[in-house]
Amino acid sequence: MQQYGSFNPSEFDSSYAAGGLTLNRYISRTFGWMFLGLMVTFALAWYMAASGLVIRLLMTTPSILMILLVAEIAVVLVFSARLHKQSVNVSRGLFFIYSILNGVVFSVYFVAFDVVALILVFGLTALFFGGFALYGRFTHTDLSRLRPLIFGGLIFLVISGLVLMLFDISALDRLVCMVGLVIFLCATAYDTQKIKKNYEYFSHDVALLERASIYSALQLYLDFINLFLYLLRFLGSRSRR
């Protein structure tokens, strides 16, 4: 499971309205950052797998995946902890650093799975993600009530992930995949609605709202990546090796 950060939009008090940026443009810009990060991740993953770089990297540094995962968690923690203080450019830099780190990790999937299967799962993920993002964008229901469900689900995923590392329980793995899909679909709708709340809350600090936009893009990026991973596991795509 990819790291999923926490962020409370009620801590902010600014907006882009004064700068002439409409809500639709603000949301489009946030999703644009997310898609750009995804493209960086998947393009780098494909290149490292196709060129054989990932194999050589794993052979020379067997612990590289663990190092990268720790680095990813560190980037998210730094991003969220210094969101009020860091510049917009630093926020963008951290976002792309995370995308690059994850690209190296994802290159393993391009070695282990057939590319056609990965493209299929990517398309299905985009379909599900897009549907729930549209729901979060246009629903008038307050989705903040989903926060306890999302938080509790993440705890379940972490604990069950540790159990699966120790025991091979296929039934539990299927359950974990289904819970993971539900949790991150809900998170997609919730995080999309939170972009609207950011726009409404932030009335005077354009730079702060821009940083919040990039952080929201990171959260949506994480939602998409985790949906992709759980859908890949759930469908049981055939491994190359």
Side-chain angles (χ1 to χ4, degrees):
M1 182 180 68
Q2 295 294 308
Q3 177 67 24
Y4 185 87
S6 60
F7 178 65
N8 184 3
S10 63
E11 295 177 355
F12 294 91
D13 56 359
S14 52
S15 114
Y16 257 164
L21 188 64
T22 65
L23 174 60
N24 285 336
R25 287 182 59 195
Y26 179 65
I27 293 176
S28 297
R29 181 173 295 185
T30 302
F31 274 89
W33 283 113
M34 183 210 73
F35 284 121
L36 189 57
L38 287 174
M39 292 304 101
V40 169
T41 294
F42 282 92
L44 178 60
W46 174 83
Y47 172 77
M48 291 196 65
S51 64
L53 283 175
V54 62
I55 300 298
R56 293 195 292 271
L57 187 61
L58 289 172
M59 291 179 62
T60 56
T61 312
S63 60
I64 187 63
L65 291 180
M66 182 60 65
I67 295 173
L68 290 172
L69 291 174
V70 172
E72 287 182 349
I73 294 174
V75 169
V76 173
L77 292 177
V78 171
F79 199 139
S80 58
R82 297 188 56 82
L83 188 61
H84 293 269
K85 302 176 182 178
Q86 65 199 15
S87 68
V88 173
N89 287 334
V90 170
S91 297
R92 292 171 180 167
L94 289 173
F95 176 70
F96 283 112
I97 287 173
Y98 188 93
S99 301
I100 292 170
L101 291 173
N102 211 30
V104 179
V105 174
F106 257 63
S107 62
V108 176
Y109 291 94
F110 279 78
V111 173
F113 293 92
D114 184 78
V115 174
V116 175
L118 293 176
I119 293 174
L120 175 62
V121 174
F122 184 93
L124 289 174
T125 303
L127 182 64
F128 291 133
F129 178 90
F132 277 78
L134 286 173
Y135 176 76
R137 167 65 179 90
F138 293 106
T139 184
H140 296 293
T141 303
D142 182 8
L143 299 181
S144 61
R145 67 186 68 179
L146 292 176
R147 282 184 294 185
L149 171 66
I150 295 172
F151 182 74
L154 291 174
I155 293 176
F156 169 81
L157 292 175
V158 171
I159 295 176
S160 58
L162 294 175
V163 172
L164 288 172
M165 289 177 62
L166 300 175
F167 306 99
D168 183 14
I169 310 175
S170 58
L172 177 59
D173 184 65
R174 299 287 287 180
L175 176 62
V176 168
C177 290
M178 289 187 288
V179 172
L181 290 171
V182 171
I183 291 302
F184 287 103
L185 286 172
C186 290
T188 297
Y190 170 70
D191 288 336
T192 301
Q193 186 177 80
K194 195 162 60 177
I195 300 173
K196 296 195 304 181
K197 293 183 178 180
N198 289 349
Y199 182 85
E200 295 168 357
Y201 292 160
F202 304 171
S203 60
H204 65 266
D205 193 333
V206 173
L208 189 53
L209 185 58
E210 177 68 10
R211 295 196 295 270
S213 173
I214 299 169
Y215 191 82
S216 293
L218 176 61
Q219 290 185 307
L220 291 167
Y221 170 99
L222 292 171
D223 294 336
F224 189 99
I225 289 295
N226 281 290
L227 281 173
F228 176 86
L229 292 176
Y230 282 114
L231 192 57
L232 185 64
R233 285 171 57 184
F234 184 77
L235 293 177
S237 299
R238 182 171 297 177
S239 174
R240 284 180 180 172
R241 312 192 197 291

